[in-house]
Amino acid sequence: MKIVIPGGTGHLGLLLAHALDRAGNEVVVLSRRENTRIPGARVVWWDGRDTGTWLAEIDGADAVLNLAGRSVNCRYSKRHLREMLDSRVDSATVVGAAIAQAARPPSVWLQMSTATIYAHSVDRANDEATGVLGGSEDGVPAYWAYSVRIARDWERAQADAQAPSTRKVALRTSIVMASGAGGAFEMMMRLTRCGLGGPIAGGRQYMSWIHGVDLVRAIEFLLHRGDVDGPVNLASPNPLPYREFMAALRRAAGVRAGLPATAWMAEIGAFALRTDTELLLKSRRVVPGRLLDAGFTFDFPDWPEAARDLVARRRSHD
């Protein structure tokens, strides 16, 4: 297959480009960075907003996997939130325009989305059929609603695209745990090794996650399942409270203890790290109903085993 990956230069893009190339696919990455080199992929420039010569890569491709969007690992200032929104909606819109103009449109368009679209939830799990979308729940910071708006507008840009011959899948992705610089797992390992891997704000909030191996396998599964379209949750079937999540990571890493933190302590730490506490305090209890119904099986359905595997992979590269 020829697979075009807009925005494929980040942590997840490199993971997916490498895996899809090793599986025998032709991989083309669209990047805003000129002179970028990615092993196993051909890199073509685009700006993420306007049509250009890169349209020729979409015409005749078998699949598009759009990962473009500003990183969420930042302070949630008004400017950064607007950049997150615009970068996601603009890129999805222009990808849709490219598919609409193609003489030979791709058969499938996988569009990155986020599990953050669901409501903050401790007492119930959210799947695609019965999950509650967020933005109006009580007892959470008001600005969290903007993240939900970003997710809704992001998915709407794909849904509104005039691409009747192309199957569309919105990938509501949980936190991806994969070894390698720049990812969430590396950040959590640094906190753990520094003795800071304890519960935050009590630790009752749920962590939805997916092992990088299963992310790749789920993407490959969805590329070929012509009967699956619309929103699909990319998450392990077994989310768990943050307290238990970090305890399992400490055991895997051989770290005996992790200091707990209150919400205000987390705010200070997030400010120092130039990130936002929503990433840790929002309870994302998300399960992969449609993947399981379609027959997908996870190599790493449980976090303790996944954590042990990821720590071993990390050590093998040290």
Side-chain angles (χ1 to χ4, degrees):
M1 297 178 72
K2 179 182 177 182
I3 303 172
V4 180
I5 308 180
T9 56
H11 176 65
L12 295 187
L14 296 176
L15 171 71
L16 289 162
H18 176 69
L20 293 170
D21 169 67
R22 289 190 63 183
N25 300 289
E26 177 189 354
V27 178
V28 178
V29 170
L30 303 185
S31 172
R32 294 183 177 90
R33 306 173 190 170
E34 296 191 50
N35 302 317
T36 299
R37 294 185 179 181
I38 298 176
R42 183 162 51 86
V43 181
V44 174
W45 185 86
W46 80 327
D47 66 2
R49 297 187 308 271
D50 303 306
T51 56
T53 56
W54 59 269
L55 268 68
E57 302 296 340
I58 301 289
D59 199 339
D62 297 289
V64 174
L65 170 56
N66 185 21
L67 307 178
R70 191 201 195 285
S71 172
V72 299
N73 188 20
C74 63
R75 296 297 294 168
Y76 282 13
S77 65
K78 288 183 179 180
R79 179 171 68 85
H80 288 163
L81 287 168
R82 190 72 211 183
E83 288 174 354
M84 282 188 240
L85 175 63
D86 290 346
S87 62
R88 284 159 173 73
V89 172
D90 290 349
S91 62
T93 299
V94 78
V95 166
I99 292 173
Q101 295 176 38
R104 295 173 298 159
S107 60
V108 58
W109 171 11
L110 303 183
Q111 171 64 50
M112 184 59 70
S113 181
T114 173
T116 299
I117 198 169
Y118 292 107
H120 173 85
S121 175
V122 173
D123 58 353
R124 58 166 292 169
N126 289 304
D127 65 11
E128 301 91 339
T130 64
V132 177
L133 300 189
S136 60
E137 59 265 53
D138 296 327
V140 302
Y143 78 93
W144 286 10
Y146 200 96
S147 295
V148 176
R149 176 191 168 188
I150 290 171
R152 287 174 178 264
D153 289 357
W154 201 5
E155 291 191 4
R156 188 177 300 113
Q158 182 194 34
D160 289 348
Q162 300 302 306
S165 300
T166 300
R167 176 168 57 94
K168 303 174 187 176
V169 182
L171 307 172
R172 292 180 174 172
T173 309
S174 59
I175 297 176
V176 179
M177 293 294 159
S179 58
F185 178 73
E186 286 300 311
M187 179 192 72
M188 291 185 168
M189 275 296 295
R190 287 198 300 272
L191 292 174
T192 299
R193 294 177 72 175
C194 291
L196 301 175
I200 295 177
R204 292 181 63 244
Q205 69 274 29
Y206 270 72
M207 285 284 293
S208 283
W209 59 277
I210 186 170
H211 192 298
V213 167
D214 283 326
L215 174 77
V216 171
R217 293 181 57 249
I219 294 292
E220 292 176 331
F221 181 84
L222 292 168
L223 284 171
H224 297 283
R225 281 298 298 255
D227 58 333
V228 179
D229 62 5
V232 174
N233 292 345
L234 297 188
S236 154
N238 297 306
L240 69 172
Y242 185 83
R243 176 186 291 273
E244 296 175 23
F245 183 93
M246 294 306 294
L249 181 55
R250 292 197 306 271
R251 288 193 297 271
V255 175
R256 296 182 63 181
L259 291 174
T262 62
W264 69 264
M265 292 167 66
E267 289 288 353
I268 294 172
F271 181 81
L273 295 171
R274 309 308 301 161
T275 188
D276 199 273
T277 54
E278 186 213 35
L279 300 172
L280 294 176
L281 297 182
K282 181 170 182 177
S283 186
R284 296 168 173 84
R285 191 171 181 180
V286 178
V287 292
R290 298 196 66 202
L291 276 178
L292 295 175
D293 288 347
F296 182 80
T297 57
F298 286 79
D299 283 352
F300 295 95
D302 299 300
W303 175 239
E305 180 186 0
R308 289 191 295 270
D309 176 80
L310 288 165
V311 169
R313 289 171 186 262
R314 189 177 190 271
R315 287 173 175 163
S316 71
H317 289 95
D318 284 346

